[in-house]
Amino acid sequence: MNYHIETYGCQMNLHESEKIAAILKEKGYERESGTEEADIIVFNTCCIRENAENHAFGNIGRLKKLKRQKKHLIIAVGGCMVQESGKAEYLKQKFPFLDILFGTHNLSELGELIERKRAQKKAIVSLKEDREETEDGVVPVRKSYPNAWVNIMYGCNNFCSYCIVPYVRGRERSRSPQDVLAEVSSLIKEGYKEITLLGQNVNSYRAEDGTRFPQLLDRAASLEGDFRLRFMTSHPKDFSEELVAIMKKHTRICRQLHLPVQSGSDRVLGLMNRRYTREKYLQEIAQLRREIPDCEVTTDIIVGFPTETEEEFKETLSLVKEADFLSAFTFVYSPRTGTKAAAMEGQISEEVQKDRIMRLVEAVNAQTREKSARCVGTVVEVLCEDFDEKKQMYLGRDEHGRMGYFASGENPVGKFVRLKITGANGISLFGERTE
Ligand code: SAH
Ligand code: SF4
Ligand code: F3S
């Protein structure tokens, strides 16, 4: 039997789809296939912005015909969108052909839900309000070699006023350092070369034995082997000197910090409930660069937050320059039902939002281009991760997060490769192998 998984959203979801794949295999779905050949289709959804939801709605809707033709086909929808208040019922009504709906807190139950569904006709909806346990006993089926994601914590307590994540992912729960380190260590032994520690806000990691994130990072970086480490995401309010010291101590921690700033205006940051100021943010990255001069900073930015003025938007534009971001994920504010910001007065028109996002993207891209152009002539080390069929070249990421493309006779996937950079385009570099 075949399975097909469609994943939306963040790395957390991509990683959880690796666990879904493991559960499906256990239930006898051996091969991954396209939708047409699949015997089970699982949607792992996201609800961070409206377009993420619409995208999933469109793709689920298209399956109606397939389901009619193929009676034994099971269609399951899980993830953040299903966990939203009232959404599971809504999905059931909108798409009566769905078989299973499951939330973010009961992914590990999917196997049982499939068994139950095989025995009954009626659709199954299974949701849990929250969860306490941090181990689900599911060993993910990873397809990301030589990279691997490892969850260190679940949930979020921050309640940024625009964000739905705390509502659909529950309160923060940290895995024990023993569990995290055992997983990292076995991945290194299996030959994985880049481990990314994952959490909505890794800096608020707090294990039951009192271990905080810098200590966990220190212990992971002290493991033996040929590998490098990344972590995401960090919240500026929890940034610490100790974290910088640990990054400095271990050169195998990539010289890139993803530190979402969201806005360059103090008034907007206040409304967003981010709990830091522009100045504090800039001080943090200045401190980081004082200690680790070649560390690049990447970020997330939202434009068109309720009541954001043109002047305040310009403060975001000027911050992009001042903070010297290597790149940024840029978003148009999307109201999410149930969040504080969705109920605020002064929602910004689509026209103004479009204008601002275009200007922001242009500013960010110009900066990325300029910074990449400076790499031409230098030697950069990348971890080769794949072959790009279109470009007919191998590709790999450098520690700062740039993609490097190159030609190679032998297959270098999983190897650290040094490239003499001959050209650049956006965040991509092109080079030749060198020793
Ligand atoms: N936990 C991480 C990532 C959260 S989601 C963090 O706090 O940084 C990733 C990004 O989506 C956020 O950083 C934010 O920029 C964006 N985002 C979240 N909610 C949004 C909304 N309602 N509209 C637009 N962008 C949003
Ligand atoms: Fe959302 Fe803020 Fe939590 Fe990030 S820190 S997941 S933006 S509430
Ligand atoms: Fe991630 Fe989207 Fe959920 S960004 S945590 S999958 S709402």
Side-chain angles (χ1 to χ4, degrees), residues 16 38 56 80 91 119 123 173 207 219-220 230 239 276 280 302 328 428 432-433:
E16 283 177 357
C80 292
L91 283 163
R173 303 169 300 282
R219 286 169 69 185
R230 291 186 191 279
F239 180 89
Y276 54 85
K280 169 144 187 291
I302 297 176
S428 303
E432 286 156 13
R433 281 188 81 161

Side-chain angles (χ1 to χ4, degrees), residues 224-370:
E224 301 232 337
D226 179 26
F227 69 101
R228 66 187 190 188
L229 268 179
R230 291 186 191 279
F231 54 91
M232 71 184 304
T233 300
S234 299
H235 192 304
K237 83 172 168 56
D238 299 311
F239 180 89
S240 66
E241 276 177 36
E242 205 188 346
L243 176 70
V244 177
I246 300 301
M247 288 179 77
K248 188 174 175 179
K249 175 176 161 194
H250 298 280
T251 51
R252 64 157 51 120
I253 302 176
C254 291
R255 267 50 186 137
Q256 181 207 349
L257 182 69
H258 187 66
L259 197 63
V261 68
Q262 313 300 357
S263 168
S265 148
D266 284 344
R267 192 188 69 89
V268 175
L269 287 172
L271 286 178
M272 287 176 163
N273 190 30
R274 291 290 289 181
R275 288 173 277 175
Y276 54 85
T277 59
R278 173 191 180 109
E279 197 189 337
K280 169 144 187 291
Y281 184 90
L282 286 169
Q283 277 169 0
E284 286 175 358
I285 58 175
Q287 189 206 350
L288 175 72
R289 286 175 171 140
R290 230 175 1 252
E291 296 297 320
I292 314 171
D294 64 336
C295 192
E296 295 286 0
V297 180
T298 55
T299 201
D300 295 350
I301 299 172
I302 297 176
V303 300
F305 186 83
T307 73
E308 181 190 66
T309 66
E310 171 65 20
E311 264 54 51
E312 287 164 341
F313 168 66
K314 281 195 179 130
E315 289 184 69
T316 299
L317 281 183
S318 72
L319 181 86
V320 168
K321 261 218 165 78
E322 218 174 312
D324 197 31
F325 295 126
L326 173 63
S327 67
F329 294 112
T330 52
F331 307 107
V332 168
Y333 166 73
S334 170
R336 305 283 67 210
T337 308
T339 61
K340 260 199 166 146
M344 285 179 189
E345 307 246 319
Q347 302 284 328
I348 304 292
S349 76
E350 206 173 300
E351 195 190 340
V352 171
Q353 286 185 325
K354 268 199 186 136
D355 172 64
R356 288 183 190 163
I357 192 83
M358 270 165 50
R359 284 153 70 201
L360 177 66
V361 168
E362 212 167 284
V364 170
N365 287 349
Q367 193 157 303
T368 302
R369 270 198 305 274
E370 199 187 303

Side-chain angles (χ1 to χ4, degrees), residues 48 155-166 200-201 233 235 262 274:
I48 196 90
C156 181
N157 291 351
N158 290 317
F159 289 94
C160 300
S161 63
Y162 49 81
C163 186
I164 192 92
V165 171
Q200 292 302 343
N201 177 15
T233 300
H235 192 304
Q262 313 300 357
R274 291 290 289 181

Side-chain angles (χ1 to χ4, degrees), residues 1-3 21 23-32 39-40 72 74 114 118:
M1 289 194 296
N2 301 328
Y3 71 89
I23 294 171
L24 298 183
K25 279 191 189 262
E26 222 246 324
K27 288 290 147 211
Y29 300 95
E30 281 158 12
R31 277 169 314 272
E32 199 181 354
D39 301 291
I40 187 163
H72 77 281
I74 293 181
I114 292 169
R118 282 174 180 164

